[in-house]
Amino acid sequence: MSYAQHEHHDFLGASAQALADPTLQQALTRLTDTLLAGNRRGYAALADSSELRDHAKRIKEHSLAHLDQYLEQLEASVLKFGGKVHWAATAEDARRIVVEIAKKANCKHAVKSKSMTSEEIHLNPALEQAGIEVTETDFGEFIIQVAGERPSHLVAPAVHHTRESIARVLSKHLGEQLADDPKSLAMVGRRVLREKFRQADMGITGANFAVAETGTIVLVTNEGNGRLTTTCPRVHVAIMGIEKVIPRFIDLPVFLKLLARGATGQTLSVYTTLITGPRQPGELDGAEEFHLVLLDNGRSKVLATPFRESLQCIRCGACLNACPVYRRIGGHAYGGVYSGPIGSILTPLYDSVAANPHLPHASSLCGACQAACPVKINIPHMLIGLRELQHYHKPSRWERWAYGLWSMVLCRPWAYRWALWAARLLLRRNAQNGWLSQMPGPGAEWTKVRDFPAPAAKSFRERWKELES
Amino acid sequence: MHVSLMITCLGDAFFPDVGVATVKLLRRLGVSVDFPQAQTCCGQPHFNSGYHDDARDLARHAITAFAKSPLVVTPSGSCAAMVKLEYPELFHGDPTWHDRAVDLAKRTHELSDFLVNVLKVEDVGARFDGKATYHMACHLRGLGLVDEPLRLIQKVRGLQLVPLERYDECCGFGGSFAVRYPQISGAMVTDKAAFIEKTAVDAVIATDAGCLMNIGGCLNRKGSKVRILHLAELLAQT
């Protein structure tokens, strides 16, 4: 299985379905309203938040400009404390590496803390195929694992579920009738997951940040499952995209100040776990073996393009919450592992520009994403850049022709005046009170849901003569 | 002070009253206005759709059309953003046109930006008897003009400003987006129109023709009594 399995994803069908689902609409509005309000409150409460975000961006720019150097430094630091480092060029490499680690250490039960990178490489089916039981321990991830679904939000993977549907899914899974109030559902999760933690011999996590200077892996969670995943089992495997490295320990607080604020508005997430290598002599907890898998999977290819800025993403989900399109179609409509505005960039880049024709266009370019982003990624610009790139990969001849003709007209004021006259002649006939309820050509899509203004009887340039005198 | 008016293609064809209001308002404030006849469209549709060579042709055309203007004022955040933020980017690596693009970018101002930050006026002597609400156009966010229109609106005599829920959420226009994804865009503008209806105002104020044609089209389809009003039209009334 590869990232490209969503190649023929029906974006239009999936988004139409999402728009017609009132339960999903309600869940999306509730979550994104809460998180977006948190994001704004979080930044507002921080003195100089804009400057801090600029600073974070500069650290990321610097890290990416010297990525080779910092990755080697990270490797050396991890080795120094007795950890092992594995380089995975592709998703397939990464899956093979993790399965081999499990086999070598004779692991049978793996617990996972939430990791989008592991979703990206489709790790769970590979482990299961090798006879290893995998349990997601983030409660949202656990729900969708049981339901056999994909995450629909970067930080709230089960946002598309209601408490009723969660109770239904878990009742079926556990073979008992569960009440649908949040507290008892959480207690059920705790009961089931505690047992899994107790059994587990392998813990798999992602990494929010990795410090090159010290070899420290940083995990940010709200449920504490990350800490249990990294301390109970005897083997810990952390999988991270190569872009997650930051140079120095002193850079870390800059990001910790921004990540939770950007994501939820929290000052700091409930748990921030720092892990430097396996358990050292004299230490009371920690895994016996520590493995760090460094995943490329298309990232180094992006590094050399104008889309490098997308590698600055710290996966907080703020752009999803702010996006008026995500807020209405939800994460599954996007088809890729990463959804929302940043997903519309990452999926075409990591997978294929040609095979994802809708994603770069499915944005009104309103810029709410950039305003919410902790590192101010210029998402609209990159979406436009991908649109340009699409014309090389999958050109539409008639569209190219139409835009070409349009620009030829616009570059010639006489032709523009003539076009204004023609549009007026064509459109004003059917207008009522200055509005058209039906339009020809591509305009028909517009008038499906709203009226279109008829051109004015006299254009401004015609009226200018009266104004001059 | 003397300025050139950039009417924008949508303004020229669909909302000429906005242009007339802009001219009247500026003249009332002692600013003389000219209208370079060669101007057509800033090229944003082509730029946003990824046809950057076409966008460059149109940018060159606009830069030439406004070459002699000491200052350019446009009643559109969207077109101002195209000129100020994207023109210099488009000519990255072309020293001649890049310099000319940067020069035009510096001389160009969205109307509320010009009034508040260049002319330094907030009370323009306008009057509106009734209730109104304000929708923030997305490109004002990009230009950093978050307060300017509101500062002007708050000084209008007789106007009772009613806050709009999610006032800064996109209305769903987005140029080609509205045509490519009518269902998503339609859901966005339907929500916007519903929030506006909830305020029970006489008019909804915005700064961009794109927002006004989208929101107005939806309100008209629903048979709403709320009318659309460009900031320039509001401020021109006395």
Side-chain angles (χ1 to χ4, degrees):
Chain A
M1 218 171 359
S2 79
Y3 204 95
Q5 67 174 324
H6 306 295
E7 211 167 288
H8 303 295
H9 177 75
D10 174 18
F11 176 83
L12 293 177
S15 53
Q17 210 180 339
L19 285 166
D21 180 346
T23 317
L24 177 67
Q25 291 297 314
Q26 201 186 6
L28 283 170
T29 305
R30 201 182 299 157
L31 177 92
T32 54
D33 270 354
T34 310
L35 295 185
L36 178 60
N39 170 286
R40 292 179 175 183
R41 204 179 46 239
Y43 290 157
L46 196 64
D48 308 327
S49 69
S50 183
E51 287 77 7
L52 191 71
R53 289 159 70 198
D54 290 335
H55 183 47
K57 187 177 193 69
R58 280 193 297 270
I59 296 171
K60 280 284 179 184
E61 277 169 358
H62 172 86
S63 312
L64 291 168
H66 304 278
L67 191 58
D68 52 342
Q69 188 187 324
Y70 287 121
L71 285 172
E72 284 181 3
Q73 192 187 2
L74 175 67
E75 181 182 39
S77 304
V78 171
L79 291 175
K80 201 167 74 187
F81 283 97
K84 292 203 170 76
V85 177
H86 310 262
W87 299 82
T90 64
E92 198 188 339
D93 288 348
R95 289 195 296 270
R96 200 193 58 240
I97 289 165
V98 180
V99 169
E100 273 170 17
I101 294 169
K103 281 186 174 164
K104 222 182 233 175
N106 198 24
C107 296
K108 294 281 176 230
H109 303 280
V111 283
K112 277 180 70 196
S113 157
K114 185 174 159 23
S115 153
M116 287 307 290
T117 314
S118 76
E119 294 283 347
E120 177 188 328
I121 62 171
H122 301 288
L123 181 62
N124 292 8
L127 285 168
E128 279 158 5
Q129 220 174 3
I132 299 149
E133 182 207 42
V134 194
T135 308
E136 295 286 351
T137 65
D138 171 274
F139 196 41
E141 286 280 346
F142 178 66
I143 294 161
I144 59 166
Q145 183 188 25
V146 168
E149 295 165 343
R150 291 183 294 113
S152 67
H153 189 286
L154 282 174
V155 299
V159 52
H160 54 286
H161 276 283
T162 58
R163 60 193 171 92
E164 292 85 3
S165 65
I166 293 168
R168 229 172 12 248
V169 165
L170 294 184
S171 295
K172 196 175 159 209
H173 176 67
L174 298 170
E176 52 186 296
Q177 197 53 46
L178 303 174
D180 64 7
D181 66 293
K183 194 174 174 192
S184 63
L185 285 173
M187 291 317 286
V188 169
R190 186 186 174 102
R191 188 187 82 207
V192 174
L193 293 173
R194 281 287 150 128
E195 188 53 29
K196 296 291 180 191
F197 281 123
R198 207 184 54 73
Q199 283 176 1
D201 39 30
M202 185 179 206
I204 300 169
T205 68
N208 291 93
F209 308 99
V211 183
E213 180 184 56
T214 57
T216 305
I217 303 302
V218 185
L219 295 172
V220 169
T221 73
N222 273 329
E223 297 173 21
N225 61 315
R227 194 159 289 179
L228 285 165
T229 302
T230 54
T231 49
C232 294
R234 52 190 168 80
V235 179
H236 173 202
V237 181
I239 308 163
M240 62 172 261
I242 51 174
E243 82 282 17
K244 291 290 181 73
V245 67
I246 55 173
R248 303 167 302 172
F249 203 73
I250 203 173
D251 300 323
L252 184 59
V254 177
F255 291 99
L256 291 179
K257 270 185 162 180
L258 292 171
L259 177 56
R261 283 186 169 91
T264 61
Q266 288 167 283
T267 310
L268 204 60
S269 55
V270 180
Y271 296 88
T272 303
T273 307
L274 283 71
I275 297 159
T276 310
R279 186 190 301 198
Q280 303 295 308
E283 283 183 354
L284 293 176
D285 55 19
E288 291 161 25
E289 283 182 33
F290 172 73
H291 298 266
L292 179 62
V293 181
L294 296 169
L295 177 74
D296 184 335
N297 203 28
R299 288 163 173 77
S300 57
K301 187 181 71 182
V302 173
L303 196 63
T305 69
F307 303 102
R308 175 188 282 198
E309 197 185 350
S310 67
L311 295 170
Q312 294 171 3
C313 173
I314 58 172
R315 306 282 191 270
C316 69
C319 61
L320 280 62
N321 305 324
C323 177
V325 174
Y326 176 89
R327 289 160 64 91
R328 285 172 181 83
I329 64 172
H332 287 157
Y334 289 81
V337 171
Y338 303 105
S339 60
I342 192 70
S344 295
I345 297 168
L346 298 181
T347 303
L349 287 178
Y350 293 177
D351 173 21
S352 144
V353 175
N356 294 281
H358 287 291
L359 297 185
H361 287 279
S363 160
S364 66
L365 305 175
C366 74
C369 45
Q370 189 182 9
C373 176
V375 287
K376 301 186 181 177
I377 297 176
N378 195 338
I379 293 175
H381 251 204
M382 274 183 288
L383 290 173
I384 292 171
L386 284 169
R387 293 175 184 185
E388 190 185 20
L389 205 58
Q390 260 182 358
H391 301 320
Y392 295 98
H393 287 276
K394 209 178 181 179
S396 154
R397 201 175 294 171
W398 85 262
E399 194 190 281
R400 168 69 283 203
W401 179 85
Y403 273 90
L405 179 70
W406 189 9
S407 87
M408 270 171 60
V409 168
L410 293 172
C411 282
R412 291 160 182 80
W414 63 266
Y416 167 84
R417 280 196 299 273
W418 182 84
L420 274 186
W421 174 82
R424 192 158 62 206
L425 196 71
L426 197 73
L427 296 174
R428 276 188 68 84
R429 278 187 311 191
N430 301 323
Q432 279 186 332
N433 301 323
W435 294 94
L436 292 148
S437 55
Q438 266 187 325
M439 283 270 289
E445 296 297 323
W446 174 287
T447 47
K448 267 184 188 164
V449 283
R450 74 217 112 182
D451 294 338
F452 190 83
K458 266 186 173 180
S459 68
F460 177 82
R461 65 189 60 225
E462 287 165 305
R463 290 177 65 179
W464 173 250
K465 291 178 198 101
E466 306 155 24
L467 286 166
E468 254 181 328
S469 53
Chain B
M1 197 180 292
H2 183 84
V3 303
S4 294
L5 175 69
M6 180 186 280
I7 183 64
T8 80
C9 57
L10 290 182
D12 193 12
F14 297 103
F15 300 103
D17 289 346
V18 172
V20 173
T22 306
V23 173
K24 285 186 175 160
L25 171 67
L26 290 172
R27 283 182 181 163
R28 194 173 78 215
L29 297 169
V31 179
S32 58
V33 185
D34 69 42
F35 180 75
Q37 290 284 336
Q39 63 177 293
T40 58
C41 163
C42 66
Q44 189 177 184
H46 298 76
F47 177 73
N48 282 358
S49 287
Y51 294 106
H52 290 190
D53 287 336
D54 291 344
R56 264 183 284 274
D57 287 344
L58 290 166
R60 281 189 204 97
H61 182 82
I63 291 167
T64 311
F66 290 100
K68 293 197 181 113
S69 311
L71 283 175
V72 179
V73 173
T74 179
S76 162
S78 170
C79 306
M82 180 67 198
V83 174
K84 293 177 84 69
L85 307 176
E86 314 301 355
Y87 276 14
E89 285 279 316
L90 271 175
F91 295 108
H92 200 79
D94 177 340
T96 313
W97 283 99
H98 183 261
D99 285 357
R100 296 186 70 180
V102 169
D103 181 49
L104 180 62
K106 279 189 200 147
R107 287 183 280 129
T108 303
H109 295 276
E110 184 274 333
L111 178 64
S112 71
D113 177 25
F114 177 75
L115 296 174
V116 174
N117 301 321
V118 179
L119 278 190
K120 313 270 183 205
V121 288
E122 289 181 14
D123 183 353
V124 296
R127 176 161 202 99
F128 178 90
D129 290 309
K131 289 201 285 184
T133 193
Y134 168 67
H135 159 74
M136 188 183 109
C138 298
H139 281 100
L140 295 183
R141 181 168 32 231
L143 289 169
L145 302 171
V146 191
D147 295 334
E148 280 77 354
L150 279 170
R151 279 154 70 182
L152 292 158
I153 293 167
Q154 276 157 354
K155 295 278 161 58
V156 175
R157 284 162 194 80
L159 187 147
Q160 191 190 337
L161 184 65
V162 184
L164 178 64
E165 203 172 320
R166 295 200 206 158
Y167 83 106
D168 59 353
E169 186 180 73
C170 177
C171 71
F173 177 64
S176 67
F177 170 77
V179 174
R180 283 181 208 268
Y181 304 100
Q183 283 176 307
I184 304 173
S185 165
M188 287 161 70
V189 73
T190 303
D191 285 350
K192 180 62 74 179
F195 288 136
I196 292 168
E197 288 274 74
K198 231 162 86 180
T199 60
V201 291
D202 303 300
V204 53
I205 304 159
T207 54
D208 276 76
C211 315
L212 290 174
M213 62 196 284
N214 189 38
I215 295 171
C218 187
L219 289 171
N220 197 60
R221 176 69 61 93
K222 289 175 161 220
S224 168
K225 296 218 158 38
V226 180
R227 64 187 179 104
I228 50 170
L229 195 61
H230 191 283
L231 180 70
E233 293 173 292
L234 172 76
L235 299 180
Q237 291 180 185
T238 50

